[in-house]
Amino acid sequence: MFRFARFALCRQLMVRHVSATAKKSFSGLGKFNHVAIAVPNLEKATALYRDILGAKVSDVQDLPEHGVSTVFVELPNTKIELLHPFGEDSPIAKFLAKNKSGGIHHICVEVNNIREAVATLQTNNIRTLTKEPKIGAHGKPVIFCHPKDCNGVLLELEEA
């Protein structure tokens, strides 16, 4: 009985230590950065936000390594990223093949340290779409978490 109680206590302490260590190494989520919308017509979508809704929009940015062209719509508290396919193997082309009118593709939340975030994801069996972060549209490291591990949402983490 004493051995079992001692074992149980040691196990509890180890679990607490591992949990505390994981919490210390990853500072958690930061600001909501943007919501991304896949659009079948980038010019028409840009015109909606700029000309009709009066928002400030960025120039088109082609990101061949991600297979997308982007336009950012600036809002007072966040951004909207308009995504359009770029190239033959674009993940956005695949998304639009299933969703002809377009739709919400992913959300992006900032983290202080992308490497620590990735390590925490791996420790907790949260899959990412790539093994390593890539440089995103803002020139900062990003990684996408698998929607099946994130309640059906494609979650992008971006280093702040």
Side-chain angles (χ1 to χ4, degrees), residues 45-114:
T46 301
L48 167 68
Y49 287 96
R50 182 190 56 228
D51 302 337
I52 297 172
L53 298 175
K56 179 181 173 190
V57 300
S58 71
D59 292 331
V60 176
Q61 183 178 7
D62 294 329
L63 300 170
E65 64 278 8
H66 292 280
V68 297
S69 295
T70 67
V71 169
F72 280 94
V73 179
E74 298 290 329
L75 302 175
N77 59 345
T78 193
K79 297 178 278 296
I80 299 171
E81 180 182 29
L82 303 176
L83 299 172
H84 186 73
F86 183 91
E88 303 263 331
D89 295 327
S90 172
I92 301 306
K94 294 172 188 159
F95 181 90
L96 289 171
K98 296 177 187 174
N99 305 278
K100 301 288 185 208
S101 299
I104 294 176
H105 183 261
H106 69 268
I107 64 169
C108 178
V109 180
E110 295 177 3
V111 296
N112 285 332
N113 186 312
I114 196 84

Side-chain angles (χ1 to χ4, degrees), residues 19-35:
S19 296
T21 303
K23 287 179 185 171
K24 286 180 189 173
S25 66
F26 176 56
S27 60
L29 296 176
K31 290 187 337 183
F32 181 80
N33 187 282
H34 66 267
V35 61

Side-chain angles (χ1 to χ4, degrees), residues 138-158:
H138 297 117
K140 298 177 180 182
V142 300
I143 197 152
F144 287 87
C145 303
H146 200 293
K148 289 185 178 177
D149 296 339
C150 297
N151 305 301
V153 175
L154 180 58
L155 173 63
E156 178 185 19
L157 299 179
E158 177 180 283

